[in-house]
Amino acid sequence: MLERTPGLVPVAKGNGYGFGLPRLAHCARDLGVPMLAVGVPHEVDLVREEFPGDILVLQPWRAFDATAVALARDPRVISTISRLEDLELLGNLGGDTKPRVMVEARTTMQRHGLLPEELEGITAWESHVEVTGWRIHLPLHSEETEAEARTLARAVAEISPAPIGLSHVPASTVAAIADELGSTGPDGTVHPYDVRLRMGTELWLGDPQAWQTTATVLDVHPVSRGAEVGYHQHRVPGDGWVVIVAGGTANGIGMEAPTAGASMRARAISVATGAMEAAGKALSPYTIDGRKRMFIEPPHMQSSMVFLPKGATPPAVGDNVPVQVRMTTVAFDETIEE
Ligand SMILES: *Cc1c(COP(=O)(O)O)cnc(C)c1O
């Protein structure tokens, strides 16, 4: 990925895409990249020891955040500026070092960023803060965002020829913009413009063969049809086994993030009606003896009860069974490198 993506800026934020922020910071150090991006100011402390380079905070700087204010004085940290008024505050912060910033331009995502007519305004502050670059955060890639990336990149480069950071565009777009905005030296060689690509999901989770997620079987009890089990004393639907397996709400089991698109309505309905109430009807993410099995009741904090029907081969206490998780919401008890 690094070879294919000149200017790669790894993103380590949230739950560290399942691997944890310190581990990702360590990986970024091994990659030898000069910059790592985190999501919010509080995450800087979790990567600072492992990663020796610049740390970019993606969430725009705000004066109400005491951590963000303190970090603005840290020479290793680059704050994101999304409003001219915040640039003015940072410019007047005082201290020994100039705050280092990247300036975010508003895109069709309509999240944060300076409007096109405001971009010029940063030049007034260039002697008070170090503008290390521009940031463009686009919606997921399409023909429109491709065109938007090019137009915005040209607009910001004309105001100040600082590096441009993009996300969610193919590496080929980055290369095309770098060539388009690049300069040609007197001897005819092209010097590409400094364009960087921030990447999280594709970098850390792009190869699903690279990791395995398992849960440990904590207990197995044979049960007969109609037996009452669990906090809610639900009846089991048949003869078989109750399997108590590690992983519960504290790990993000049974608490999946909503998916995008057409299933939103269905999701909203199942959340509103508490679909888990339908005991024995909810498919769990645990695979036991080759198939996903039903929850007996909603997962507990750190374990879940699932039903294994007669005819299946029960696991042994201590076995590890596959569990399907969403890597950006899961909290593992342990991650092991092999
Ligand atoms: C999260 C984030 C990224 C990385 O997103 P992925 O989809 O995980 O690659 C890039 N830029 C910004 C501003 C982000 O917040």
Side-chain angles (χ1 to χ4, degrees), residues 11-37:
V11 175
K13 65 182 179 186
N15 72 340
Y17 296 84
F19 304 107
L21 296 178
R23 174 160 285 166
L24 297 189
H26 193 92
C27 286
R29 169 191 216 133
D30 287 348
L31 289 175
V33 293
M35 185 188 287
L36 176 68

Side-chain angles (χ1 to χ4, degrees), residues 11 13 17 58 111 135 137 167-168 198-202:
V11 175
K13 65 182 179 186
Y17 296 84
L58 294 170
R111 201 156 74 162
R135 280 202 25 212
H137 190 199
S167 62
H168 304 126
R198 293 184 304 275
M199 205 185 274
T201 308
E202 205 186 333

Side-chain angles (χ1 to χ4, degrees), residues 16-323:
Y17 296 84
F19 304 107
L21 296 178
R23 174 160 285 166
L24 297 189
H26 193 92
C27 286
R29 169 191 216 133
D30 287 348
L31 289 175
V33 293
M35 185 188 287
L36 176 68
V38 297
V40 297
H42 278 95
E43 291 170 341
V44 171
D45 269 355
L46 295 165
V47 302
R48 171 197 296 287
E49 298 289 309
E50 301 282 351
F51 183 76
D54 285 344
I55 303 168
L56 167 66
V57 181
L58 294 170
Q59 183 168 289
W61 187 88
R62 292 290 184 261
F64 62 68
D65 186 335
T67 307
V69 173
L71 290 173
R73 295 197 170 88
D74 185 330
R76 271 182 67 198
V77 174
I78 298 171
S79 308
T80 294
I81 284 295
S82 70
R83 306 184 303 177
L84 284 176
E85 63 206 87
D86 296 322
L87 196 57
E88 181 174 350
L89 288 170
L90 274 185
N92 289 309
L93 198 64
D96 298 338
T97 53
K98 278 193 210 173
R100 300 172 72 204
V101 302
M102 285 188 91
V103 178
E104 179 160 357
R106 187 91 58 97
T107 68
T108 46
M109 189 136 123
Q110 294 292 0
R111 201 156 74 162
H112 304 293
L114 268 58
L115 294 167
E117 61 271 25
E118 295 174 317
L119 294 170
E120 193 81 53
I122 71 144
T123 50
W125 295 99
E126 276 177 320
S127 56
H128 294 80
V129 300
E130 184 191 336
V131 178
T132 64
W134 295 100
R135 280 202 25 212
I136 299 174
H137 190 199
L138 293 161
L140 297 184
H141 186 248
S142 69
E143 254 171 56
E144 286 79 37
T145 57
E146 173 89 21
E148 186 178 4
R150 289 173 179 230
T151 309
L152 263 180
R154 183 167 291 284
V156 296
E158 270 168 21
I159 292 167
S160 171
I164 298 174
L166 295 165
S167 62
H168 304 126
V169 294
S172 57
T173 305
V174 172
I177 293 174
D179 285 346
E180 234 170 81
L181 301 181
S183 54
T184 310
D187 61 348
T189 51
V190 179
H191 301 280
Y193 196 92
D194 189 345
V195 185
R196 300 167 186 181
L197 185 57
R198 293 184 304 275
M199 205 185 274
T201 308
E202 205 186 333
L203 176 65
W204 309 120
L205 302 175
D207 175 9
Q209 310 292 319
W211 72 89
Q212 275 186 341
T213 53
T214 62
T216 309
V217 173
L218 303 173
D219 236 327
V220 183
H221 312 300
V223 284
S224 307
R225 181 190 172 84
E228 292 173 329
V229 296
Y231 275 122
H232 304 282
Q233 292 289 288
H234 288 306
R235 288 176 192 283
V236 294
D239 294 345
W241 293 267
V242 175
V243 182
I244 294 96
V245 63
T249 51
N251 305 96
I253 298 295
M255 303 184 70
E256 267 187 88
T259 51
S263 65
M264 270 302 249
R265 191 179 133 77
R267 281 278 179 181
I269 290 168
S270 74
V271 169
T273 58
M276 286 299 301
E277 292 299 316
K281 297 263 161 51
L283 197 63
S284 84
Y286 299 99
T287 295
I288 300 175
D289 193 21
R291 283 180 54 183
K292 289 238 181 78
R293 303 298 176 176
M294 297 290 185
F295 279 122
I296 287 173
E297 65 177 11
H300 308 154
M301 189 81 136
Q302 291 174 310
S303 68
S304 297
M305 299 179 89
V306 298
F307 178 68
L308 185 67
K310 192 174 77 179
T313 306
V317 171
D319 280 358
N320 289 322
V321 298
V323 59

